Amino acid sequence: MQDITIRRPDDWHLHLRDGDMLKGVIGDTSRHFARAIVMPNLVPPVVTTADAKAYRERILAALPQGHSFEPLMTLYLTETTDPDDVQRGFESGLIRAVKLYPAGATTNSQSGVRNFENAMPVLERMAEIGMTLCMHGEVTASDVDIFDREAVFIETVLDPLRARVPELRITMEHVTTSDAVEYVKASTKNLAASITTHHLIINRNAILVGGVRPHYYCLPVAKREKHRLALRAAAISGDGRFFLGTDSAPHVDAAKECGCGCAGIYTSINTISCLAHVFEQENALDRLEAFTSLNGPAWYGLPANEARVTLRKHAEPLVFPAKIETGAGPVTVFDPMFPLHWDVVGSIA
Ligand code: NCD
Ligand code: ZN
């Protein structure tokens, strides 16, 4: 048996959904995480401060008894978002960030931004007040190969935007390429990136070899092995610009196992176990805390959590359920394809 103690983790990119699905998944996050940046891509999306306030209340109402968890709310940027509403939400402390989805880039992004010019007033206001923009960094043009969409986004959207509004703080979310890692490392200010658990573990073979495996399909889609290795190197580096955003994105099995399956991988329940495994493999357990618990709050201007959790390595592998049951239907749990030996002491999965 081996123990390590770290500050309680936070998740800087999470989908909690709503209604029965929210009730079914929230406990898997609140068991291990103190806070999470909650994505606003509901149907309809969380667009105004009033929407976010109501959603936050639904999240808190769904928390299991005895759990304490702080949802950090985001607004879904549309071409008609009101800069004053964004500013009021931010200054009241309710809204932590604005989320930009290029229209059509991913699940529930049809209300996203088509013409960036229309989003400029909000982005300029955010730069003035020091508010962070969370970006889904993929172009959507049909002639761009899906595996190139992140790299092309950096070149054609992100870099020009940063040149135009240098004071805008940007989180490149769920980066999947060495191009993104290099771009973030080359920046001198106002840029950081979240990395998911699953992109540290799978490459695109997981989705396609031996049959189509919908439970490994997410967006941005996993890339080839050299990119996974670049993400691992960034995550374990201790570099403050890289931190955990699980992008745990539950969909019921029926919505994934069909002719046109949804993008999203559900990892909340075993993310910490998977990460301890990855960091141990990389001889970097001493830098796990930076990735899960220190770099994210520093970037978002929040204190690190005071509470500590102990992670324990067991001789026998843990047993996680293959699926969780929610009131909305079963949701398949991410299978890292290796046995997991680490768990969080005192928490039963
Ligand atoms: C997310 C979802 O299901 O909402 N899916 C995903 O594959 N990550 C949307 C997103 O973050 O792109
Ligand atoms: Zn996401």
Side-chain angles (χ1 to χ4, degrees):
M1 224 154 66
Q2 185 186 348
D3 279 2
I4 58 165
T5 296
I6 61 171
R7 286 180 188 258
R8 193 167 166 81
D10 301 304
D11 184 349
W12 300 96
H13 179 125
L14 175 67
H15 299 269
L16 284 174
R17 316 298 191 204
D18 214 342
D20 287 339
M21 182 64 93
L22 166 63
K23 293 190 185 86
V25 300
I26 177 86
D28 286 344
T29 287
S30 56
R31 197 177 302 119
H32 296 147
F33 294 90
R35 299 171 288 199
I37 288 254
V38 179
M39 287 297 118
N41 63 331
L42 305 182
V43 187
V46 178
V47 175
T48 65
T49 296
D51 296 341
K53 185 165 186 287
Y55 184 32
R56 181 173 187 276
E57 281 158 18
R58 297 198 296 281
I59 294 168
L60 293 177
L63 273 181
Q65 278 240 302
H67 284 208
S68 85
F69 170 73
E70 160 124 38
L72 306 173
M73 306 310 292
T74 59
L75 296 180
Y76 185 115
L77 182 63
T78 71
E79 293 184 13
T80 56
T81 294
D82 172 9
D84 291 334
D85 182 58
V86 170
Q87 179 164 4
R88 276 193 301 270
F90 180 59
E91 287 174 352
S92 75
L94 179 78
I95 309 298
R96 296 291 168 174
V98 169
K99 172 74 191 228
L100 187 151
Y101 289 101
T106 187
T107 311
N108 303 337
S109 63
Q110 51 281 13
S111 320
V113 174
R114 286 191 166 71
N115 179 353
F116 272 73
E117 236 15 82
N118 295 332
M120 287 317 290
V122 178
L123 301 183
E124 277 159 5
R125 182 74 64 88
M126 290 170 65
E128 266 168 54
I129 62 180
M131 190 175 189
T132 302
L133 180 69
C134 292
M135 273 200 156
H136 184 109
E138 289 191 287
V139 293
T140 55
S142 59
D143 59 341
V144 179
D145 189 279
I146 191 161
F147 292 103
D148 297 334
R149 287 180 173 196
E150 185 172 283
V152 173
F153 182 89
I154 294 169
E155 204 182 304
T156 62
V157 180
L158 181 56
D159 197 55
L161 176 65
R162 291 183 63 237
R164 183 164 167 185
V165 197
E167 294 312 315
L168 181 60
R169 295 167 48 82
I170 298 177
T171 309
M172 273 191 85
E173 299 206 282
H174 42 50
V175 291
T176 59
T177 57
S178 59
D179 309 67
V181 168
E182 290 311 315
Y183 185 74
V184 171
K185 286 205 299 203
S187 73
T188 53
K189 63 170 191 175
N190 291 340
L191 188 64
S194 65
I195 302 177
T196 75
T197 305
H198 48 278
H199 287 117
L200 296 174
I201 294 173
I202 60 165
N203 63 32
R204 62 195 193 176
N205 283 6
I207 314 164
L208 295 170
V209 171
V212 174
R213 298 176 198 275
H215 298 293
Y216 293 114
Y217 173 60
C218 67
L219 288 169
V221 69
K223 309 296 191 294
R224 58 169 74 238
E225 178 67 358
K226 72 169 187 191
H227 296 291
R228 184 185 75 98
L229 296 177
L231 299 173
R232 279 204 173 212
I236 65 160
S237 67
D239 184 327
R241 292 169 292 189
F242 297 100
F243 45 81
L244 174 64
T246 66
D247 196 13
S248 183
H251 292 278
V252 294
D253 284 351
K256 288 193 65 74
E257 298 170 0
C258 57
C260 181
C262 293
I265 299 181
Y266 186 65
T267 59
S268 292
I269 192 169
N270 59 6
T271 271
I272 298 292
S273 299
C274 289
L275 289 172
H277 182 105
V278 166
F279 277 68
E280 184 185 31
Q281 270 184 331
E282 300 284 345
N283 284 319
L285 275 174
D286 58 329
R287 275 158 281 155
L288 178 62
E289 183 181 45
F291 184 67
T292 60
S293 319
L294 301 176
N295 296 347
W299 165 248
Y300 281 99
L302 293 167
N305 297 308
E306 279 306 324
R308 264 71 176 176
V309 293
T310 297
L311 312 187
R312 178 164 295 167
K313 185 175 185 186
H314 300 265
E316 292 301 315
L318 308 174
V319 180
F320 284 97
K323 297 171 193 293
I324 60 161
E325 293 301 331
T326 76
V331 173
T332 291
V333 169
F334 174 63
D335 173 4
M337 297 178 279
F338 47 70
L340 291 167
H341 290 265
W342 288 89
D343 76 352
V344 181
V345 174
S347 90
I348 314 294

